[in-house]
Amino acid sequence: MMNLKDLVRPNVWEMKPYSSARDEFHRSASVFLDANENPYNEPYNRYPDPLQWELKDRIAELKDVDRRSIFLGNGSDEPIDLLIRAFCDPAVDCIVSIAPTYGMYEVAANVNDVEFRKVTLSKDFALNADKVLDEVDEWVKIIFLCSPNNPTGNSLDRNEIYKIIENFEGLVVLDEAYIDFSSEPSFLPELAKFSNLVILQTMSKAWGAAGLRLGMAFASPEIIGILNKIKYPYNVNMLTQQHALEMLNNETEMLKQLRSILSERIRMQEALEAVPIIHKVYPTDANFFLVEVSKADIVYNRLVRKGVIVRNRNNVTLCQGCLRITVGTPEENDALLEALNSNS
């Protein structure tokens, strides 16, 4: 990676972060009269830990990473936005990503007035590193990759990912939101090797906590320090921190649910392939299927009328005629199959 100072926007590099009240207190203190808080209604009258150290300690233990290499945000969307804001000058710098993929990379780029360049995957949704690197010029600061990819469900070829990381001087952001469902290992052990690698994970998928809105970014302490400099002071509220910690301390329950989802994924693969209106069920390493159906819009609307909601991806690059179907409980999956097999 090129010198971090040369990657970061100059104004961000030079700025002084806001120093919140909870940044400054000593843990031995017992009287807090510094933050204009209401003295009643403990503990919710107090501002939460702005750097979420107790929660980070548990994540560091589970993920085997240095806690200084962890950023926690309001879903993964917050670190996506912060990375663009920190490293890309509006109307000057650029981002490269793949198509199809998670739509928030492009939305965040558009919000920040940053050019977004798309590299279309192959017909079987394979990544070609050379095509991605061909889009790189002096203005490209970040490459976003998602593996397993959304909405396709497949894991991107690891050798192609390595090639991009090794041959790009800017940041490579690898979104691993669905990694717990995959047979491929995470890239987290590679953080020490690649100073330009940023990995995104989440509590929303395998941990079953989308409502908590807790996203995780892993990177060098220097990159994490840049994100901490520009984030809002109390971006993760106390209730989220507390409940996330409770869930992370019960990994056994998460693994039990994960096994159930993976078991249902196997069953649903066979069941979906037997549905007459489904032409293809794409291989998946995630907790969802991309399926090609006859008259996707009609099928989608028919499912809606029956109270079964899936995601219509008919207008997405390379996904014409496709629906994205999440693996639910056995009862939810049976309801879906019944609706798909119905002629009315």
Side-chain angles (χ1 to χ4, degrees):
M1 185 174 73
M2 71 169 65
N3 187 287
L4 187 62
K5 183 178 179 181
D6 295 329
L7 279 176
V8 177
R9 290 172 59 187
N11 64 304
V12 172
W13 186 265
E14 298 295 336
M15 70 176 280
K16 300 295 183 184
Y18 175 78
S19 181
S20 64
R22 289 297 92 92
D23 278 325
E24 300 168 355
F25 81 90
H26 298 287
R27 293 190 178 275
S28 59
S30 59
V31 178
F32 300 102
L33 304 176
D34 58 331
N36 302 334
E37 298 157 324
N38 187 321
Y40 305 107
N41 195 34
E42 288 278 359
Y44 306 111
N45 61 325
R46 301 300 180 188
Y47 288 107
D49 177 1
L51 292 175
Q52 312 96 27
W53 285 121
E54 185 177 7
L55 185 53
K56 285 179 179 176
D57 283 340
R58 178 56 179 151
I59 293 171
E61 181 182 12
L62 285 172
K63 304 290 185 179
D64 193 24
V65 298
D66 188 325
R67 71 174 190 167
R68 297 173 303 164
S69 290
I70 304 171
F71 175 87
L72 301 182
N74 186 0
S76 294
D77 296 337
E78 182 178 7
I80 289 169
D81 177 66
L82 290 178
L83 285 162
I84 295 173
R85 282 201 276 151
F87 289 90
C88 297
D89 272 312
V92 175
D93 292 324
C94 306
I95 291 167
V96 173
S97 190
I98 54 179
T101 196
Y102 180 46
M104 278 305 298
Y105 312 140
E106 184 172 9
V107 170
N110 290 339
V111 168
N112 288 284
D113 194 19
V114 172
E115 180 186 347
F116 189 83
R117 302 176 185 174
K118 301 178 187 180
V119 177
T120 304
L121 298 173
S122 70
K123 290 184 179 179
D124 59 352
F125 307 133
L127 172 67
N128 185 314
D130 289 330
K131 289 185 176 180
V132 172
L133 293 170
D134 283 345
E135 289 295 321
V136 171
D137 57 27
E138 61 182 308
W139 309 115
V140 175
K141 292 290 189 68
I142 306 175
I143 295 174
F144 279 95
L145 302 172
C146 185
S147 183
N149 192 28
N150 175 17
T152 61
N154 63 306
S155 293
L156 303 179
D157 186 276
R158 292 181 72 84
N159 290 327
E160 297 297 295
I161 296 174
Y162 277 121
K163 188 173 184 179
I164 291 171
I165 298 171
E166 292 169 348
N167 290 279
F168 179 54
E169 292 188 334
L171 297 186
V172 177
V173 181
L174 181 59
D175 190 341
E176 292 187 338
Y178 300 94
I179 194 64
D180 296 294
F181 305 103
S182 175
S183 58
E184 292 286 334
S186 168
F187 267 76
L188 274 178
E190 309 296 319
L191 278 180
K193 298 179 185 177
F194 302 110
S195 60
N196 62 333
L197 178 60
V198 180
I199 296 173
L200 303 179
Q201 293 187 8
T202 182
M203 291 283 291
S204 294
K205 308 303 178 184
W207 287 95
L212 290 186
R213 306 309 304 130
L214 186 68
M216 297 170 275
F218 302 89
S220 69
E222 292 76 20
I223 292 174
I224 297 301
I226 296 295
L227 299 183
N228 285 333
K229 179 187 283 193
I230 67 171
K231 76 176 184 72
Y232 291 125
Y234 307 108
N235 61 321
V236 180
N237 69 70
M238 181 185 294
L239 294 175
T240 291
Q241 292 187 43
Q242 289 174 340
H243 196 66
L245 187 59
E246 291 173 8
M247 297 189 73
L248 291 169
N249 284 330
N250 190 9
E251 188 182 14
T252 301
E253 181 62 23
M254 183 277 281
L255 293 174
K256 176 183 175 182
Q257 295 174 4
L258 179 61
R259 287 191 292 270
S260 175
I261 292 170
L262 293 177
S263 176
E264 277 297 288
R265 189 175 75 181
I266 294 172
R267 180 177 80 93
M268 288 297 291
Q269 174 88 34
E270 298 177 357
L272 289 169
E273 288 174 346
V275 175
I277 62 171
I278 293 180
H279 304 309
K280 184 171 184 176
V281 180
Y282 287 93
T284 184
D285 259 342
N287 66 331
F288 60 84
F289 293 96
L290 188 70
V291 300
E292 182 183 341
V293 301
S294 300
K295 301 177 180 178
D297 292 340
I298 294 175
V299 172
Y300 172 78
N301 289 325
R302 189 175 77 196
L303 290 174
V304 170
R305 289 195 297 271
K306 292 178 178 292
V308 178
I309 309 302
V310 297
R311 196 82 155 101
N312 190 349
R313 301 285 77 186
N314 186 36
N315 294 321
V316 173
T317 303
L318 296 181
C319 297
Q320 289 75 23
C322 290
L323 305 177
R324 192 191 69 192
I325 300 173
T326 306
V327 179
T329 65
E331 295 76 17
E332 290 172 330
N333 297 332
D334 288 341
L336 166 77
L337 293 170
E338 181 180 354
L340 284 172
N341 282 300
S342 172
N343 292 322
S344 58

